[in-house]
Amino acid sequence: VQLQASGGGLVQPGGSLRLSCAASGFTLDYYAIGWFRQAPGKQREGVSCMSSSDGSTIYAVSVKGRFTISRDSTKNTMYLQMNSLKPEDTAIYYCAIHLERQCLGPYEFWGQGTQVTVSS
């Protein structure tokens, strides 16, 4: 079981990035997926999740309206589209899966993280 995150980088405020997380060893469609982030000196926080039962999503207040979580069954990959990025979005972003269909619960498998830096 492996999650491989990619797509991070340096972007100016107001810019966009799309993070990807390719899964191997299991099928993403069966499980809830989530994105988390950890900024320097801060605790890890949940950014967004998507259930596998009905595709319902949850977003942190700080990113709602700017970020979009999605999954592509044909590629077994999950995404986080991030628009209107702000300096406070700077963090290491992690993808993860929860071995149930609903979002809430412990996330058992994690990707390695990808750095997002928003700066002019």
Side-chain angles (χ1 to χ4, degrees):
V1 174
Q2 189 174 14
L3 294 171
Q4 184 69 40
S6 62
L10 173 64
V11 63
Q12 291 187 342
S16 298
L17 280 175
R18 188 179 78 158
L19 306 183
S20 300
C21 182
S24 58
F26 59 92
T27 302
L28 277 181
D29 278 356
Y30 297 155
Y31 309 113
I33 58 174
W35 286 95
F36 298 77
R37 68 186 181 186
Q38 186 166 20
K42 295 187 177 181
Q43 288 190 331
R44 186 175 62 197
E45 63 174 347
V47 175
S48 181
C49 67
M50 175 182 279
S51 77
S52 63
S53 57
D54 59 3
S56 58
T57 56
I58 299 174
Y59 293 93
V61 172
S62 59
V63 307
K64 197 168 186 178
R66 300 187 297 122
F67 291 11
T68 304
I69 189 172
S70 63
R71 72 175 91 205
D72 185 334
S73 301
T74 63
K75 298 180 179 179
N76 208 31
T77 298
M78 56 193 282
Y79 302 97
L80 185 69
Q81 177 67 44
M82 305 186 295
N83 299 328
S84 302
L85 283 161
K86 305 175 181 180
E88 51 264 43
D89 294 319
T90 295
I92 299 174
Y93 284 71
Y94 300 90
C95 55
I97 64 163
H98 173 41
L99 297 177
E100 299 289 344
R101 289 193 172 273
Q102 300 305 316
C103 277
L104 299 180
Y107 281 70
E108 292 87 349
F109 293 98
W110 293 79
Q112 83 284 11
T114 184
Q115 176 71 47
V116 172
T117 302
V118 185
S119 175
S120 56

